[in-house]
Amino acid sequence: MTFVRNNLADGLWPVYKGESFDIWNPDTGTYYAWADPAPVLEWLQNKRLKSGKSQRNSPHREFSIDYLNDESNLPCHAPRIAFRDVTNRTNRRTIIACLIPPKVFISHTAPYFMWPKGDEFDQAYLLGVLCSIPLDWYSRRFVETHVTFFTINPFPVPRPEREDPRWQRVVELAGRLACPDQRFATWACAVGVECGPIPDDEKEDAICELDAVVASLYGLDEAQLIHVFETFHENWDFHDRLKCVRQHFRNWKS
């Protein structure tokens, strides 16, 4: 890896850290380093094969040998959901998750999810729930300084049937919000959403509707939804957002 911005060689991939992404922003331009992909990909592939064949508690054990043998299946070749490890419940947000682009490496401060089952629709759904205020409100009851798999694995994620229009709407909203540029074109096509920039007003409205639909999936009533916003963060200006969320919540209720 190289940590110097000046005179970077062609073809290097950025190495992400937690600050490299934000909610619905897959690239803040702040990186941990840059790396030559050839030796790193070889190292990652060898490590994955060794882990998948020898370690009983390795997540790679859940994938077939044929899948692991194909280097093109390394997670860094496709968009993936990462989240910031370092946080605390007094921050603006506690769970900072994002679909990050392909052709980037990630340091240990930005863990990511692996998918031995499911597809891009499931990824979009999970991302939508993770980026919602209702889920983040819950996380603040348990997270202090770090979001690890030990803390995030037990989070209660609603699991409706795919025929549920709320599941479908979360996929649609989160999928569209997650794809602001052409790096996500293939993933967006798989989810069936457009890819590219979103006007600010449309983006804010989509984020509000996402909060409303997720709140409905959790079975909240409107009074509980208001309580979530009022107790989410001390002295935060939530009134305009809550007004928009409540309107969408009522629309879905009816």
Side-chain angles (χ1 to χ4, degrees):
M1 292 187 293
T2 178
F3 299 89
V4 181
R5 284 181 175 268
N6 297 330
N7 299 320
L8 291 174
D10 293 335
L12 297 184
W13 290 10
V15 180
Y16 270 29
K17 56 182 178 178
E19 293 177 324
S20 300
F21 58 87
D22 206 338
I23 297 176
W24 309 126
N25 180 3
D27 193 342
T28 64
T30 301
Y31 308 135
Y32 176 73
W34 291 261
D36 182 352
V40 177
L41 290 171
E42 180 181 2
W43 184 86
L44 289 174
Q45 175 67 357
N46 291 335
K47 182 180 180 182
R48 180 172 74 163
L49 289 173
K50 181 179 180 181
S51 175
K53 294 176 181 178
S54 62
Q55 298 187 29
R56 218 173 2 173
N57 63 344
S58 167
H60 299 295
R61 296 274 295 200
E62 299 186 50
F63 296 86
S64 70
I65 293 299
D66 289 341
Y67 182 92
L68 296 179
N69 283 333
D70 186 351
E71 185 182 298
S72 68
N73 290 323
L74 281 171
C76 56
H77 287 302
R80 47 187 162 160
I81 300 174
F83 57 92
R84 292 187 189 180
D85 174 287
V86 179
T87 187
N88 69 69
R89 57 189 175 88
T90 62
N91 284 351
R92 174 181 61 88
R93 295 293 291 266
T94 297
I95 303 299
I96 306 289
C98 188
L99 186 74
I100 64 171
K103 297 185 178 181
V104 302
F105 301 117
I106 313 179
S107 70
H108 69 284
T109 57
Y112 63 92
F113 291 99
M114 299 174 64
W115 295 82
K117 299 178 182 178
D119 54 23
E120 288 85 354
F121 293 101
D122 297 298
Q123 294 172 20
Y125 176 77
L126 176 62
L127 181 64
V129 174
L130 289 175
C131 292
S132 71
I133 290 291
L135 184 282
D136 212 5
W137 182 91
Y138 174 89
S139 74
R140 288 173 175 240
R141 273 68 203 157
F142 301 95
V143 175
E144 287 294 337
T145 57
H146 292 276
V147 181
T148 65
F149 285 114
F150 177 79
T151 57
I152 205 170
N153 279 343
F155 279 8
V157 175
R159 294 176 180 265
E161 297 295 328
R162 285 194 171 199
E163 292 74 22
D164 191 315
R166 297 171 299 176
W167 182 92
Q168 296 172 358
R169 188 57 175 158
V170 169
V171 170
E172 184 179 3
L173 290 167
R176 182 65 187 93
L177 288 166
C179 299
D181 60 60
Q182 288 303 308
R183 291 176 294 179
F184 301 93
T186 301
W187 190 90
C189 183
V191 179
V193 297
E194 295 182 7
C195 184
I198 310 175
D200 290 343
D201 56 341
E202 292 182 18
K203 181 176 181 179
E204 290 304 315
D205 188 68
I207 291 171
C208 290
E209 185 179 358
L210 183 62
D211 284 340
V213 179
V214 172
S216 175
L217 286 166
Y218 275 114
L220 303 183
D221 58 31
E222 190 165 348
Q224 292 168 330
L225 175 63
I226 294 171
H227 175 76
V228 165
F229 274 81
E230 289 179 340
T231 60
F232 181 73
H233 188 67
E234 187 175 352
N235 296 324
W236 76 303
D237 186 8
F238 62 88
H239 296 90
D240 288 343
R241 180 164 179 172
L242 177 58
K243 181 180 179 181
C244 181
V245 173
R246 290 177 68 184
Q247 183 60 56
H248 283 294
F249 187 79
R250 291 169 182 169
N251 291 342
W252 277 95
K253 199 78 170 178
S254 62

